[in-house]
Amino acid sequence: MTNSIALVINTYQQAHFLSASIESGLAQTVPFDEIIVVDDGSTDNPASVVARYPAVRLVTQPNAGLGAARNTGLKACSSSYIVFLDADDLLMPNAARAGLTCHALNPPAGLVYGAHRRIGTQGEPLGGDVYSEMGIDAFRTFLTGNVIGMHATVVYDRLKLCDIGAFDASLPRCEDYDVYFRMATKHPVRSHSEVVALYRWHGQNMSADPSVMLKWVLCINDRQRAFTAGTVLLEDERLLGRRVWVRYYKDEMVSDLKRGYRAQKALVSVTRNLRFAKIATFEVGRWFIHRLERVYRRRAKSPSCN
């Protein structure tokens, strides 16, 4: 299907949001050629929701996690390009058009992405546009942070996504960040500034626990050492990225603690804080040792004065 585009909506226990996400896919100014809902072993009957939309296909699987569900959707479609949308999020009407336009301007790109906004449970706005432009070297840009921010803003070249091995189903978190790195080592990554998706924040999101997110984002960072270990500059940037992530999730941790006290769930938040503090302390120590090693190597290479 030349220049066709598919939408894969992944759902797990989110049938109450599913209708809105499907309708946001059906409301595109450039229609999706395929819309596929992948039910990852839900017990809340998403099939009854999908049945109301004849143009939407349902694929079911036993619960296997988000990465596996996305791979199932990837295998089920045949379009040239593909978008992945979580059932609790929404697309703007221009999402497919903006992504296809950006790909047309950048034919070698493995993926392109745009901007997003955060909304609350009822769709209320929670801030302005979120967008960071991709740097000249996508791999180096990803080393110090996930500039994409929201997966639904991404439009993949389907064949190139298959070429890099699709999603790692063994990862319980950050499987999208892992794909970005692998894509950046083989294909260009490009962006545009149009707002194309709405990220619904409802407190039950997979990213709601900062300590768990920090653990897995650092795991993805660790994987990049295979590409950075032989280059001092890249290894410095990889380790800088770990500090950036600690600072980012520190702020998220403070917000989580405040929400926990307001919701009378302080014990849960404190437990998360303790897990976070353990990881953060280790990372600070790692960075300090790295800096000492750099100073020692520079002094060892300096000519001695007699």
Side-chain angles (χ1 to χ4, degrees):
M1 299 173 70
T2 304
N3 293 326
S4 53
I5 185 167
L7 172 64
V8 172
I9 302 174
N10 305 291
T11 186
Y12 176 68
Q13 308 295 58
Q14 293 184 325
H16 52 297
F17 289 129
L18 184 56
S19 180
S21 63
I22 290 174
E23 289 177 11
S24 76
L26 292 170
Q28 296 295 299
T29 56
V30 173
F32 283 105
D33 297 276
E34 304 172 274
I35 299 180
I36 300 167
V37 172
V38 179
D39 170 22
D40 185 33
S42 302
T43 59
D44 57 355
N45 196 18
S48 64
V49 178
V50 177
R52 303 201 296 265
Y53 304 95
V56 179
R57 179 155 51 112
L58 176 67
V59 178
T60 61
Q61 66 176 37
N63 180 245
L66 189 52
R70 286 175 174 158
N71 287 339
T72 295
L74 178 64
K75 293 175 183 176
C77 75
S78 58
S79 295
S80 304
Y81 300 100
I82 185 168
V83 177
F84 295 92
L85 177 68
D86 294 339
D88 51 347
D89 297 328
L90 303 170
L91 294 179
M92 299 290 282
N94 62 321
R97 177 195 58 74
L100 289 173
T101 299
C102 194
H103 269 290
L105 294 172
N106 302 278
L111 69 84
V112 304
Y113 68 93
H116 72 277
R117 295 181 188 136
R118 278 192 172 192
I119 59 173
T121 304
Q122 304 303 318
E124 66 276 16
L126 297 179
D129 298 357
V130 180
Y131 173 71
S132 296
E133 188 174 2
M134 179 56 64
I136 296 174
D137 185 329
F139 180 81
R140 288 181 62 184
T141 301
F142 286 131
L143 281 177
T144 53
N146 181 0
V147 294
I148 292 178
M150 182 190 179
H151 193 224
T153 68
V154 174
V155 178
Y156 291 97
D157 181 310
R158 185 180 64 84
L159 291 180
K160 289 171 182 170
L161 179 57
C162 292
D163 176 59
I164 65 167
F167 297 92
D168 184 345
S170 71
L171 291 170
R173 300 285 192 281
C174 303
E175 72 294 325
D176 50 353
Y177 194 33
D178 176 67
V179 159
Y180 303 157
F181 273 114
R182 287 188 282 118
M183 188 68 80
T185 63
K186 298 193 70 173
H187 304 287
V189 175
R190 298 290 182 262
S191 68
H192 60 86
S193 59
E194 287 193 55
V195 177
V196 292
L198 301 176
Y199 173 43
R200 193 192 303 270
W201 183 257
H202 48 77
Q204 302 301 316
N205 308 71
M206 289 184 69
S207 58
D209 186 338
S211 62
V212 172
M213 291 300 298
L214 179 62
K215 171 186 174 181
W216 287 104
V217 78
L218 293 179
C219 172
I220 303 306
N221 177 282
D222 277 334
R223 291 184 171 192
Q224 310 320 310
R225 193 175 183 190
F227 302 97
T228 65
T231 306
V232 172
L233 177 60
L234 288 179
E235 184 62 4
D236 278 352
E237 291 184 343
R238 184 183 73 85
L239 293 174
L240 173 61
R242 300 178 78 85
R243 292 180 66 203
V244 169
W245 282 117
V246 168
R247 287 198 299 266
Y248 173 79
Y249 281 114
K250 172 183 68 66
D251 294 339
E252 292 290 304
M253 203 72 252
V254 171
S255 298
D256 178 68
L257 192 59
K258 291 178 179 177
R259 287 193 298 268
Y261 275 108
R262 286 197 296 266
Q264 296 183 338
K265 295 180 180 179
L267 182 59
V268 173
S269 297
V270 169
T271 301
R272 290 175 176 176
N273 267 274
L274 291 174
R275 289 200 303 264
F276 176 86
K278 180 179 178 181
I279 299 171
T281 300
F282 178 79
E283 289 303 320
V284 170
R286 181 205 290 258
W287 177 255
F288 181 69
I289 292 171
H290 171 72
R291 298 309 298 172
L292 287 178
E293 289 175 345
R294 287 293 306 277
V295 170
Y296 176 78
R297 287 197 298 267
R298 281 200 298 267
R299 289 181 176 176
K301 290 179 180 179
S302 299
S304 58
C305 299
N306 295 318

